[in-house]
Amino acid sequence: MTANSLEGLAGERMVNDTPQAVADTVATWIGAQSRRAHADHGSFSIALSGGSTPRLLNEILVGPEWRERMEWSWWNVYFADERACPPDDPASNYSLAETTLLSHVPIDPGRVHRMPAERPDLDAAAAEYSDLLARSLPSGPGGAPRLDVILLGLGENGHTASLFPGTPALEVTDQWATRGLADYEPFNRITLTYPAINAAAAVGFLVTGAAKHEALRATARGEVPASRVRPADGTLVWFLDAAAAAG
Ligand code: 6PG
């Protein structure tokens, strides 16, 4: 694989040798983004993703180095997507965040905004989340609510958040959150839409493991949902380990 195989990937690439080093780098980046946001408007908003990759990051954030150093009182937590299951189900993205991060750090539970994807009417739940985003965040490019940071993962098929290939969610432009449809269980989802993702001040993708290399290449070629993540007035950073970067 040549060093150029990811040429075309929009944004900045930060490659570290191991997943652990990637997670350390992301923790440092989040700290810097939170200071920037706080200096600018006195608070910090971040949307979290699910999947397995955030586990290591969360471990580091609640560990001795970061637990005391991070200004948790600035944090307002949102989600990039959620699976249709109860919030205490192990498949829930909120459950992952709660058990591995939120319950270990002093974040006011009133500042944690989970997506209520356990509700039977997912369209209504997504519409409510869309309103919550609009009400609680400053307005960014195109009038969309502007999150300070969105952390995203990348699926092997090039999905990100719950924006899956060939699904209607990819075309939604009049809501900040919508219903998503995954190709693995739980199938039903709520996801941020492109206008909401692309209005963020900073978007960070965490991608580790050789199995993700082809998805990165497809993203670079503009072929998959992750290719359309292009912050309109913000930064985009790909945090990769050597295996994901090189294949
Ligand atoms: C979800 C996610 C999803 C995830 C990717 C990568 O709820 O499934 O938010 O977009 O980030 O599928 O998942 P892994 O980290 O498990 O590879």
Side-chain angles (χ1 to χ4, degrees), residues 30-31 33-38 41-46 70-71 73-78 111 148-149:
I30 293 172
Q33 296 302 320
S34 72
R35 288 190 295 278
R36 176 195 52 74
H38 188 261
H41 48 267
S43 65
F44 173 57
S45 58
I46 181 167
M70 199 66 88
E71 283 290 350
S73 63
W74 297 346
W75 282 48
N76 294 278
V77 178
Y78 297 80
R111 291 171 176 247
D148 293 313
V149 166

mmCIF file with all atom_site columns, all heavy atoms in Angstrom, residues 30-31 33-38 41-46 70-71 73-78 111 148-149:
data_model
loop_
_atom_site.group_PDB
_atom_site.id
_atom_site.type_symbol
_atom_site.label_atom_id
_atom_site.label_alt_id
_atom_site.label_comp_id
_atom_site.label_asym_id
_atom_site.label_entity_id
_atom_site.label_seq_id
_atom_site.pdbx_PDB_ins_code
_atom_site.Cartn_x
_atom_site.Cartn_y
_atom_site.Cartn_z
_atom_site.occupancy
_atom_site.B_iso_or_equiv
_atom_site.pdbx_formal_charge
_atom_site.auth_seq_id
_atom_site.auth_comp_id
_atom_site.auth_asym_id
_atom_site.auth_atom_id
_atom_site.pdbx_PDB_model_num
ATOM 1   N N   . ILE A 1 30  ? -9.540  16.820 22.256 1.00 0.00 ? 30  ILE A N   1
ATOM 2   C CA  . ILE A 1 30  ? -10.814 17.218 22.874 1.00 0.00 ? 30  ILE A CA  1
ATOM 3   C C   . ILE A 1 30  ? -10.559 18.303 23.933 1.00 0.00 ? 30  ILE A C   1
ATOM 4   O O   . ILE A 1 30  ? -11.288 19.299 24.004 1.00 0.00 ? 30  ILE A O   1
ATOM 5   C CB  . ILE A 1 30  ? -11.536 16.000 23.511 1.00 0.00 ? 30  ILE A CB  1
ATOM 6   C CG1 . ILE A 1 30  ? -11.991 15.026 22.417 1.00 0.00 ? 30  ILE A CG1 1
ATOM 7   C CG2 . ILE A 1 30  ? -12.738 16.457 24.337 1.00 0.00 ? 30  ILE A CG2 1
ATOM 8   C CD1 . ILE A 1 30  ? -12.540 13.703 22.960 1.00 0.00 ? 30  ILE A CD1 1
ATOM 9   N N   . GLY A 1 31  ? -9.500  18.111 24.721 1.00 0.00 ? 31  GLY A N   1
ATOM 10  C CA  . GLY A 1 31  ? -9.168  19.124 25.734 1.00 0.00 ? 31  GLY A CA  1
ATOM 11  C C   . GLY A 1 31  ? -8.941  20.482 25.080 1.00 0.00 ? 31  GLY A C   1
ATOM 12  O O   . GLY A 1 31  ? -9.450  21.510 25.548 1.00 0.00 ? 31  GLY A O   1
ATOM 13  N N   . GLN A 1 33  ? -10.045 21.498 22.127 1.00 0.00 ? 33  GLN A N   1
ATOM 14  C CA  . GLN A 1 33  ? -11.303 22.008 21.549 1.00 0.00 ? 33  GLN A CA  1
ATOM 15  C C   . GLN A 1 33  ? -12.189 22.589 22.649 1.00 0.00 ? 33  GLN A C   1
ATOM 16  O O   . GLN A 1 33  ? -12.893 23.579 22.442 1.00 0.00 ? 33  GLN A O   1
ATOM 17  C CB  . GLN A 1 33  ? -12.071 20.882 20.829 1.00 0.00 ? 33  GLN A CB  1
ATOM 18  C CG  . GLN A 1 33  ? -11.366 20.303 19.622 1.00 0.00 ? 33  GLN A CG  1
ATOM 19  C CD  . GLN A 1 33  ? -11.060 21.352 18.564 1.00 0.00 ? 33  GLN A CD  1
ATOM 20  O OE1 . GLN A 1 33  ? -11.864 22.232 18.288 1.00 0.00 ? 33  GLN A OE1 1
ATOM 21  N NE2 . GLN A 1 33  ? -9.878  21.273 17.993 1.00 0.00 ? 33  GLN A NE2 1
ATOM 22  N N   . SER A 1 34  ? -12.176 21.952 23.816 1.00 0.00 ? 34  SER A N   1
ATOM 23  C CA  . SER A 1 34  ? -13.039 22.450 24.895 1.00 0.00 ? 34  SER A CA  1
ATOM 24  C C   . SER A 1 34  ? -12.547 23.818 25.369 1.00 0.00 ? 34  SER A C   1
ATOM 25  O O   . SER A 1 34  ? -13.355 24.703 25.657 1.00 0.00 ? 34  SER A O   1
ATOM 26  C CB  . SER A 1 34  ? -13.136 21.443 26.043 1.00 0.00 ? 34  SER A CB  1
ATOM 27  O OG  . SER A 1 34  ? -11.941 21.388 26.772 1.00 0.00 ? 34  SER A OG  1
ATOM 28  N N   . ARG A 1 35  ? -11.238 24.006 25.418 1.00 0.00 ? 35  ARG A N   1
ATOM 29  C CA  . ARG A 1 35  ? -10.707 25.316 25.831 1.00 0.00 ? 35  ARG A CA  1
ATOM 30  C C   . ARG A 1 35  ? -11.030 26.388 24.794 1.00 0.00 ? 35  ARG A C   1
ATOM 31  O O   . ARG A 1 35  ? -11.420 27.504 25.122 1.00 0.00 ? 35  ARG A O   1
ATOM 32  C CB  . ARG A 1 35  ? -9.185  25.230 26.059 1.00 0.00 ? 35  ARG A CB  1
ATOM 33  C CG  . ARG A 1 35  ? -8.822  24.449 27.314 1.00 0.00 ? 35  ARG A CG  1
ATOM 34  C CD  . ARG A 1 35  ? -7.346  24.586 27.665 1.00 0.00 ? 35  ARG A CD  1
ATOM 35  N NE  . ARG A 1 35  ? -6.484  23.986 26.651 1.00 0.00 ? 35  ARG A NE  1
ATOM 36  C CZ  . ARG A 1 35  ? -6.198  22.683 26.583 1.00 0.00 ? 35  ARG A CZ  1
ATOM 37  N NH1 . ARG A 1 35  ? -6.688  21.853 27.471 1.00 0.00 ? 35  ARG A NH1 1
ATOM 38  N NH2 . ARG A 1 35  ? -5.408  22.218 25.624 1.00 0.00 ? 35  ARG A NH2 1
ATOM 39  N N   . ARG A 1 36  ? -10.926 26.009 23.515 1.00 0.00 ? 36  ARG A N   1
ATOM 40  C CA  . ARG A 1 36  ? -11.253 26.955 22.443 1.00 0.00 ? 36  ARG A CA  1
ATOM 41  C C   . ARG A 1 36  ? -12.722 27.364 22.533 1.00 0.00 ? 36  ARG A C   1
ATOM 42  O O   . ARG A 1 36  ? -13.066 28.547 22.470 1.00 0.00 ? 36  ARG A O   1
ATOM 43  C CB  . ARG A 1 36  ? -10.959 26.307 21.074 1.00 0.00 ? 36  ARG A CB  1
ATOM 44  C CG  . ARG A 1 36  ? -11.346 27.145 19.877 1.00 0.00 ? 36  ARG A CG  1
ATOM 45  C CD  . ARG A 1 36  ? -11.379 26.342 18.572 1.00 0.00 ? 36  ARG A CD  1
ATOM 46  N NE  . ARG A 1 36  ? -12.186 25.120 18.634 1.00 0.00 ? 36  ARG A NE  1
ATOM 47  C CZ  . ARG A 1 36  ? -13.524 25.090 18.650 1.00 0.00 ? 36  ARG A CZ  1
ATOM 48  N NH1 . ARG A 1 36  ? -14.220 26.204 18.619 1.00 0.00 ? 36  ARG A NH1 1
ATOM 49  N NH2 . ARG A 1 36  ? -14.167 23.933 18.717 1.00 0.00 ? 36  ARG A NH2 1
ATOM 50  N N   . ALA A 1 37  ? -13.588 26.363 22.700 1.00 0.00 ? 37  ALA A N   1
ATOM 51  C CA  . ALA A 1 37  ? -15.027 26.639 22.754 1.00 0.00 ? 37  ALA A CA  1
ATOM 52  C C   . ALA A 1 37  ? -15.364 27.495 23.967 1.00 0.00 ? 37  ALA A C   1
ATOM 53  O O   . ALA A 1 37  ? -16.124 28.458 23.871 1.00 0.00 ? 37  ALA A O   1
ATOM 54  C CB  . ALA A 1 37  ? -15.806 25.322 22.805 1.00 0.00 ? 37  ALA A CB  1
ATOM 55  N N   . HIS A 1 38  ? -14.755 27.142 25.109 1.00 0.00 ? 38  HIS A N   1
ATOM 56  C CA  . HIS A 1 38  ? -15.062 27.883 26.331 1.00 0.00 ? 38  HIS A CA  1
ATOM 57  C C   . HIS A 1 38  ? -14.598 29.334 26.223 1.00 0.00 ? 38  HIS A C   1
ATOM 58  O O   . HIS A 1 38  ? -15.303 30.262 26.641 1.00 0.00 ? 38  HIS A O   1
ATOM 59  C CB  . HIS A 1 38  ? -14.426 27.203 27.547 1.00 0.00 ? 38  HIS A CB  1
ATOM 60  C CG  . HIS A 1 38  ? -14.863 27.809 28.838 1.00 0.00 ? 38  HIS A CG  1
ATOM 61  N ND1 . HIS A 1 38  ? -14.112 28.727 29.527 1.00 0.00 ? 38  HIS A ND1 1
ATOM 62  C CD2 . HIS A 1 38  ? -16.022 27.663 29.545 1.00 0.00 ? 38  HIS A CD2 1
ATOM 63  C CE1 . HIS A 1 38  ? -14.774 29.108 30.593 1.00 0.00 ? 38  HIS A CE1 1
ATOM 64  N NE2 . HIS A 1 38  ? -15.932 28.477 30.633 1.00 0.00 ? 38  HIS A NE2 1
ATOM 65  N N   . HIS A 1 41  ? -17.304 30.953 23.694 1.00 0.00 ? 41  HIS A N   1
ATOM 66  C CA  . HIS A 1 41  ? -18.691 31.196 24.100 1.00 0.00 ? 41  HIS A CA  1
ATOM 67  C C   . HIS A 1 41  ? -19.071 30.632 25.464 1.00 0.00 ? 41  HIS A C   1
ATOM 68  O O   . HIS A 1 41  ? -20.246 30.507 25.784 1.00 0.00 ? 41  HIS A O   1
ATOM 69  C CB  . HIS A 1 41  ? -19.666 30.687 23.012 1.00 0.00 ? 41  HIS A CB  1
ATOM 70  C CG  . HIS A 1 41  ? -19.362 29.307 22.517 1.00 0.00 ? 41  HIS A CG  1
ATOM 71  N ND1 . HIS A 1 41  ? -18.573 29.056 21.426 1.00 0.00 ? 41  HIS A ND1 1
ATOM 72  C CD2 . HIS A 1 41  ? -19.696 28.099 22.992 1.00 0.00 ? 41  HIS A CD2 1
ATOM 73  C CE1 . HIS A 1 41  ? -18.458 27.748 21.248 1.00 0.00 ? 41  HIS A CE1 1
ATOM 74  N NE2 . HIS A 1 41  ? -19.125 27.144 22.182 1.00 0.00 ? 41  HIS A NE2 1
ATOM 75  N N   . GLY A 1 42  ? -18.063 30.272 26.271 1.00 0.00 ? 42  GLY A N   1
ATOM 76  C CA  . GLY A 1 42  ? -18.331 29.949 27.676 1.00 0.00 ? 42  GLY A CA  1
ATOM 77  C C   . GLY A 1 42  ? -18.874 28.561 27.951 1.00 0.00 ? 42  GLY A C   1
ATOM 78  O O   . GLY A 1 42  ? -19.288 28.281 29.082 1.00 0.00 ? 42  GLY A O   1
ATOM 79  N N   . SER A 1 43  ? -18.909 27.687 26.954 1.00 0.00 ? 43  SER A N   1
ATOM 80  C CA  . SER A 1 43  ? -19.361 26.313 27.199 1.00 0.00 ? 43  SER A CA  1
ATOM 81  C C   . SER A 1 43  ? -18.760 25.402 26.131 1.00 0.00 ? 43  SER A C   1
ATOM 82  O O   . SER A 1 43  ? -18.046 25.870 25.234 1.00 0.00 ? 43  SER A O   1
ATOM 83  C CB  . SER A 1 43  ? -20.890 26.226 27.158 1.00 0.00 ? 43  SER A CB  1
ATOM 84  O OG  . SER A 1 43  ? -21.335 26.523 25.856 1.00 0.00 ? 43  SER A OG  1
ATOM 85  N N   . PHE A 1 44  ? -19.056 24.125 26.223 1.00 0.00 ? 44  PHE A N   1
ATOM 86  C CA  . PHE A 1 44  ? -18.482 23.162 25.276 1.00 0.00 ? 44  PHE A CA  1
ATOM 87  C C   . PHE A 1 44  ? -19.515 22.086 24.981 1.00 0.00 ? 44  PHE A C   1
ATOM 88  O O   . PHE A 1 44  ? -20.055 21.467 25.902 1.00 0.00 ? 44  PHE A O   1
ATOM 89  C CB  . PHE A 1 44  ? -17.227 22.531 25.900 1.00 0.00 ? 44  PHE A CB  1
ATOM 90  C CG  . PHE A 1 44  ? -16.645 21.413 25.089 1.00 0.00 ? 44  PHE A CG  1
ATOM 91  C CD1 . PHE A 1 44  ? -16.263 21.606 23.766 1.00 0.00 ? 44  PHE A CD1 1
ATOM 92  C CD2 . PHE A 1 44  ? -16.476 20.136 25.646 1.00 0.00 ? 44  PHE A CD2 1
ATOM 93  C CE1 . PHE A 1 44  ? -15.730 20.561 23.009 1.00 0.00 ? 44  PHE A CE1 1
ATOM 94  C CE2 . PHE A 1 44  ? -15.932 19.098 24.905 1.00 0.00 ? 44  PHE A CE2 1
ATOM 95  C CZ  . PHE A 1 44  ? -15.561 19.320 23.589 1.00 0.00 ? 44  PHE A CZ  1
ATOM 96  N N   . SER A 1 45  ? -19.818 21.887 23.713 1.00 0.00 ? 45  SER A N   1
ATOM 97  C CA  . SER A 1 45  ? -20.778 20.844 23.338 1.00 0.00 ? 45  SER A CA  1
ATOM 98  C C   . SER A 1 45  ? -20.063 19.781 22.510 1.00 0.00 ? 45  SER A C   1
ATOM 99  O O   . SER A 1 45  ? -19.228 20.089 21.654 1.00 0.00 ? 45  SER A O   1
ATOM 100 C CB  . SER A 1 45  ? -21.933 21.449 22.535 1.00 0.00 ? 45  SER A CB  1
ATOM 101 O OG  . SER A 1 45  ? -21.446 22.097 21.378 1.00 0.00 ? 45  SER A OG  1
ATOM 102 N N   . ILE A 1 46  ? -20.404 18.543 22.782 1.00 0.00 ? 46  ILE A N   1
ATOM 103 C CA  . ILE A 1 46  ? -19.750 17.431 22.079 1.00 0.00 ? 46  ILE A CA  1
ATOM 104 C C   . ILE A 1 46  ? -20.778 16.348 21.807 1.00 0.00 ? 46  ILE A C   1
ATOM 105 O O   . ILE A 1 46  ? -21.608 16.047 22.663 1.00 0.00 ? 46  ILE A O   1
ATOM 106 C CB  . ILE A 1 46  ? -18.557 16.879 22.914 1.00 0.00 ? 46  ILE A CB  1
ATOM 107 C CG1 . ILE A 1 46  ? -17.848 15.734 22.183 1.00 0.00 ? 46  ILE A CG1 1
ATOM 108 C CG2 . ILE A 1 46  ? -18.965 16.462 24.317 1.00 0.00 ? 46  ILE A CG2 1
ATOM 109 C CD1 . ILE A 1 46  ? -16.501 15.349 22.784 1.00 0.00 ? 46  ILE A CD1 1
ATOM 110 N N   . MET A 1 70  ? -9.557  17.534 32.709 1.00 0.00 ? 70  MET A N   1
ATOM 111 C CA  . MET A 1 70  ? -10.619 18.008 31.819 1.00 0.00 ? 70  MET A CA  1
ATOM 112 C C   . MET A 1 70  ? -11.587 18.875 32.615 1.00 0.00 ? 70  MET A C   1
ATOM 113 O O   . MET A 1 70  ? -11.890 18.572 33.769 1.00 0.00 ? 70  MET A O   1
ATOM 114 C CB  . MET A 1 70  ? -11.336 16.788 31.235 1.00 0.00 ? 70  MET A CB  1
ATOM 115 C CG  . MET A 1 70  ? -12.136 17.035 29.995 1.00 0.00 ? 70  MET A CG  1
ATOM 116 S SD  . MET A 1 70  ? -11.154 17.484 28.554 1.00 0.00 ? 70  MET A SD  1
ATOM 117 C CE  . MET A 1 70  ? -10.731 15.902 27.846 1.00 0.00 ? 70  MET A CE  1
ATOM 118 N N   . GLU A 1 71  ? -12.055 19.960 32.014 1.00 0.00 ? 71  GLU A N   1
ATOM 119 C CA  . GLU A 1 71  ? -13.051 20.821 32.677 1.00 0.00 ? 71  GLU A CA  1
ATOM 120 C C   . GLU A 1 71  ? -14.435 20.259 32.384 1.00 0.00 ? 71  GLU A C   1
ATOM 121 O O   . GLU A 1 71  ? -15.150 20.733 31.494 1.00 0.00 ? 71  GLU A O   1
ATOM 122 C CB  . GLU A 1 71  ? -12.932 22.261 32.159 1.00 0.00 ? 71  GLU A CB  1
ATOM 123 C CG  . GLU A 1 71  ? -11.776 23.015 32.735 1.00 0.00 ? 71  GLU A CG  1
ATOM 124 C CD  . GLU A 1 71  ? -11.944 23.344 34.215 1.00 0.00 ? 71  GLU A CD  1
ATOM 125 O OE1 . GLU A 1 71  ? -13.041 23.148 34.781 1.00 0.00 ? 71  GLU A OE1 1
ATOM 126 O OE2 . GLU A 1 71  ? -10.950 23.793 34.808 1.00 0.00 ? 71  GLU A OE2 1
ATOM 127 N N   . SER A 1 73  ? -17.153 20.507 33.844 1.00 0.00 ? 73  SER A N   1
ATOM 128 C CA  . SER A 1 73  ? -18.302 21.403 34.077 1.00 0.00 ? 73  SER A CA  1
ATOM 129 C C   . SER A 1 73  ? -18.661 22.200 32.820 1.00 0.00 ? 73  SER A C   1
ATOM 130 O O   . SER A 1 73  ? -19.745 22.761 32.737 1.00 0.00 ? 73  SER A O   1
ATOM 131 C CB  . SER A 1 73  ? -18.006 22.359 35.228 1.00 0.00 ? 73  SER A CB  1
ATOM 132 O OG  . SER A 1 73  ? -16.906 23.178 34.873 1.00 0.00 ? 73  SER A OG  1
ATOM 133 N N   . TRP A 1 74  ? -17.759 22.241 31.844 1.00 0.00 ? 74  TRP A N   1
ATOM 134 C CA  . TRP A 1 74  ? -18.066 22.954 30.589 1.00 0.00 ? 74  TRP A CA  1
ATOM 135 C C   . TRP A 1 74  ? -18.876 22.080 29.627 1.00 0.00 ? 74  TRP A C   1
ATOM 136 O O   . TRP A 1 74  ? -19.446 22.571 28.663 1.00 0.00 ? 74  TRP A O   1
ATOM 137 C CB  . TRP A 1 74  ? -16.781 23.324 29.848 1.00 0.00 ? 74  TRP A CB  1
ATOM 138 C CG  . TRP A 1 74  ? -15.874 24.273 30.566 1.00 0.00 ? 74  TRP A CG  1
ATOM 139 C CD1 . TRP A 1 74  ? -16.170 25.031 31.658 1.00 0.00 ? 74  TRP A CD1 1
ATOM 140 C CD2 . TRP A 1 74  ? -14.515 24.556 30.229 1.00 0.00 ? 74  TRP A CD2 1
ATOM 141 N NE1 . TRP A 1 74  ? -15.080 25.768 32.024 1.00 0.00 ? 74  TRP A NE1 1
ATOM 142 C CE2 . TRP A 1 74  ? -14.039 25.502 31.166 1.00 0.00 ? 74  TRP A CE2 1
ATOM 143 C CE3 . TRP A 1 74  ? -13.644 24.116 29.224 1.00 0.00 ? 74  TRP A CE3 1
ATOM 144 C CZ2 . TRP A 1 74  ? -12.750 26.017 31.128 1.00 0.00 ? 74  TRP A CZ2 1
ATOM 145 C CZ3 . TRP A 1 74  ? -12.359 24.621 29.186 1.00 0.00 ? 74  TRP A CZ3 1
ATOM 146 C CH2 . TRP A 1 74  ? -11.920 25.562 30.119 1.00 0.00 ? 74  TRP A CH2 1
ATOM 147 N N   . TRP A 1 75  ? -18.868 20.769 29.868 1.00 0.00 ? 75  TRP A N   1
ATOM 148 C CA  . TRP A 1 75  ? -19.383 19.821 28.873 1.00 0.00 ? 75  TRP A CA  1
ATOM 149 C C   . TRP A 1 75  ? -20.907 19.794 28.765 1.00 0.00 ? 75  TRP A C   1
ATOM 150 O O   . TRP A 1 75  ? -21.614 19.755 29.771 1.00 0.00 ? 75  TRP A O   1
ATOM 151 C CB  . TRP A 1 75  ? -18.915 18.398 29.205 1.00 0.00 ? 75  TRP A CB  1
ATOM 152 C CG  . TRP A 1 75  ? -17.494 18.107 28.827 1.00 0.00 ? 75  TRP A CG  1
ATOM 153 C CD1 . TRP A 1 75  ? -16.397 18.883 29.092 1.00 0.00 ? 75  TRP A CD1 1
ATOM 154 C CD2 . TRP A 1 75  ? -17.011 16.946 28.139 1.00 0.00 ? 75  TRP A CD2 1
ATOM 155 N NE1 . TRP A 1 75  ? -15.262 18.279 28.615 1.00 0.00 ? 75  TRP A NE1 1
ATOM 156 C CE2 . TRP A 1 75  ? -15.602 17.091 28.021 1.00 0.00 ? 75  TRP A CE2 1
ATOM 157 C CE3 . TRP A 1 75  ? -17.604 15.810 27.616 1.00 0.00 ? 75  TRP A CE3 1
ATOM 158 C CZ2 . TRP A 1 75  ? -14.806 16.137 27.394 1.00 0.00 ? 75  TRP A CZ2 1
ATOM 159 C CZ3 . TRP A 1 75  ? -16.803 14.861 27.001 1.00 0.00 ? 75  TRP A CZ3 1
ATOM 160 C CH2 . TRP A 1 75  ? -15.428 15.023 26.880 1.00 0.00 ? 75  TRP A CH2 1
ATOM 161 N N   . ASN A 1 76  ? -21.387 19.789 27.533 1.00 0.00 ? 76  ASN A N   1
ATOM 162 C CA  . ASN A 1 76  ? -22.789 19.502 27.204 1.00 0.00 ? 76  ASN A CA  1
ATOM 163 C C   . ASN A 1 76  ? -22.732 18.360 26.205 1.00 0.00 ? 76  ASN A C   1
ATOM 164 O O   . ASN A 1 76  ? -22.146 18.504 25.121 1.00 0.00 ? 76  ASN A O   1
ATOM 165 C CB  . ASN A 1 76  ? -23.456 20.715 26.565 1.00 0.00 ? 76  ASN A CB  1
ATOM 166 C CG  . ASN A 1 76  ? -23.555 21.865 27.550 1.00 0.00 ? 76  ASN A CG  1
ATOM 167 O OD1 . ASN A 1 76  ? -24.459 21.891 28.367 1.00 0.00 ? 76  ASN A OD1 1
ATOM 168 N ND2 . ASN A 1 76  ? -22.589 22.778 27.500 1.00 0.00 ? 76  ASN A ND2 1
ATOM 169 N N   . VAL A 1 77  ? -23.300 17.232 26.599 1.00 0.00 ? 77  VAL A N   1
ATOM 170 C CA  . VAL A 1 77  ? -23.107 16.013 25.807 1.00 0.00 ? 77  VAL A CA  1
ATOM 171 C C   . VAL A 1 77  ? -24.335 15.699 24.952 1.00 0.00 ? 77  VAL A C   1
ATOM 172 O O   . VAL A 1 77  ? -25.472 15.703 25.449 1.00 0.00 ? 77  VAL A O   1
ATOM 173 C CB  . VAL A 1 77  ? -22.793 14.813 26.741 1.00 0.00 ? 77  VAL A CB  1
ATOM 174 C CG1 . VAL A 1 77  ? -22.640 13.525 25.947 1.00 0.00 ? 77  VAL A CG1 1
ATOM 175 C CG2 . VAL A 1 77  ? -21.537 15.109 27.563 1.00 0.00 ? 77  VAL A CG2 1
ATOM 176 N N   . TYR A 1 78  ? -24.081 15.435 23.690 1.00 0.00 ? 78  TYR A N   1
ATOM 177 C CA  . TYR A 1 78  ? -25.115 15.037 22.721 1.00 0.00 ? 78  TYR A CA  1
ATOM 178 C C   . TYR A 1 78  ? -24.652 13.723 22.092 1.00 0.00 ? 78  TYR A C   1
ATOM 179 O O   . TYR A 1 78  ? -23.579 13.213 22.406 1.00 0.00 ? 78  TYR A O   1
ATOM 180 C CB  . TYR A 1 78  ? -25.271 16.121 21.648 1.00 0.00 ? 78  TYR A CB  1
ATOM 181 C CG  . TYR A 1 78  ? -25.754 17.446 22.190 1.00 0.00 ? 78  TYR A CG  1
ATOM 182 C CD1 . TYR A 1 78  ? -24.877 18.334 22.805 1.00 0.00 ? 78  TYR A CD1 1
ATOM 183 C CD2 . TYR A 1 78  ? -27.094 17.812 22.091 1.00 0.00 ? 78  TYR A CD2 1
ATOM 184 C CE1 . TYR A 1 78  ? -25.324 19.542 23.312 1.00 0.00 ? 78  TYR A CE1 1
ATOM 185 C CE2 . TYR A 1 78  ? -27.546 19.025 22.599 1.00 0.00 ? 78  TYR A CE2 1
ATOM 186 C CZ  . TYR A 1 78  ? -26.659 19.877 23.204 1.00 0.00 ? 78  TYR A CZ  1
ATOM 187 O OH  . TYR A 1 78  ? -27.112 21.085 23.716 1.00 0.00 ? 78  TYR A OH  1
ATOM 188 N N   . ARG A 1 111 ? -27.042 18.012 31.635 1.00 0.00 ? 111 ARG A N   1
ATOM 189 C CA  . ARG A 1 111 ? -26.359 18.473 30.419 1.00 0.00 ? 111 ARG A CA  1
ATOM 190 C C   . ARG A 1 111 ? -26.059 17.319 29.466 1.00 0.00 ? 111 ARG A C   1
ATOM 191 O O   . ARG A 1 111 ? -25.278 17.462 28.535 1.00 0.00 ? 111 ARG A O   1
ATOM 192 C CB  . ARG A 1 111 ? -25.042 19.155 30.794 1.00 0.00 ? 111 ARG A CB  1
ATOM 193 C CG  . ARG A 1 111 ? -25.232 20.483 31.502 1.00 0.00 ? 111 ARG A CG  1
ATOM 194 C CD  . ARG A 1 111 ? -23.864 20.926 31.997 1.00 0.00 ? 111 ARG A CD  1
ATOM 195 N NE  . ARG A 1 111 ? -23.909 22.236 32.614 1.00 0.00 ? 111 ARG A NE  1
ATOM 196 C CZ  . ARG A 1 111 ? -23.317 23.319 32.082 1.00 0.00 ? 111 ARG A CZ  1
ATOM 197 N NH1 . ARG A 1 111 ? -22.652 23.232 30.956 1.00 0.00 ? 111 ARG A NH1 1
ATOM 198 N NH2 . ARG A 1 111 ? -23.391 24.468 32.702 1.00 0.00 ? 111 ARG A NH2 1
ATOM 199 N N   . ASP A 1 148 ? -19.682 22.032 19.052 1.00 0.00 ? 148 ASP A N   1
ATOM 200 C CA  . ASP A 1 148 ? -18.248 22.339 19.064 1.00 0.00 ? 148 ASP A CA  1
ATOM 201 C C   . ASP A 1 148 ? -17.434 21.165 18.547 1.00 0.00 ? 148 ASP A C   1
ATOM 202 O O   . ASP A 1 148 ? -16.471 21.361 17.806 1.00 0.00 ? 148 ASP A O   1
ATOM 203 C CB  . ASP A 1 148 ? -17.802 22.700 20.485 1.00 0.00 ? 148 ASP A CB  1
ATOM 204 C CG  . ASP A 1 148 ? -18.420 24.010 20.935 1.00 0.00 ? 148 ASP A CG  1
ATOM 205 O OD1 . ASP A 1 148 ? -18.382 24.975 20.143 1.00 0.00 ? 148 ASP A OD1 1
ATOM 206 O OD2 . ASP A 1 148 ? -18.978 24.062 22.044 1.00 0.00 ? 148 ASP A OD2 1
ATOM 207 N N   . VAL A 1 149 ? -17.819 19.964 18.945 1.00 0.00 ? 149 VAL A N   1
ATOM 208 C CA  . VAL A 1 149 ? -17.102 18.759 18.484 1.00 0.00 ? 149 VAL A CA  1
ATOM 209 C C   . VAL A 1 149 ? -18.105 17.655 18.179 1.00 0.00 ? 149 VAL A C   1
ATOM 210 O O   . VAL A 1 149 ? -19.055 17.444 18.936 1.00 0.00 ? 149 VAL A O   1
ATOM 211 C CB  . VAL A 1 149 ? -16.116 18.256 19.574 1.00 0.00 ? 149 VAL A CB  1
ATOM 212 C CG1 . VAL A 1 149 ? -15.633 16.844 19.270 1.00 0.00 ? 149 VAL A CG1 1
ATOM 213 C CG2 . VAL A 1 149 ? -14.912 19.183 19.694 1.00 0.00 ? 149 VAL A CG2 1
#
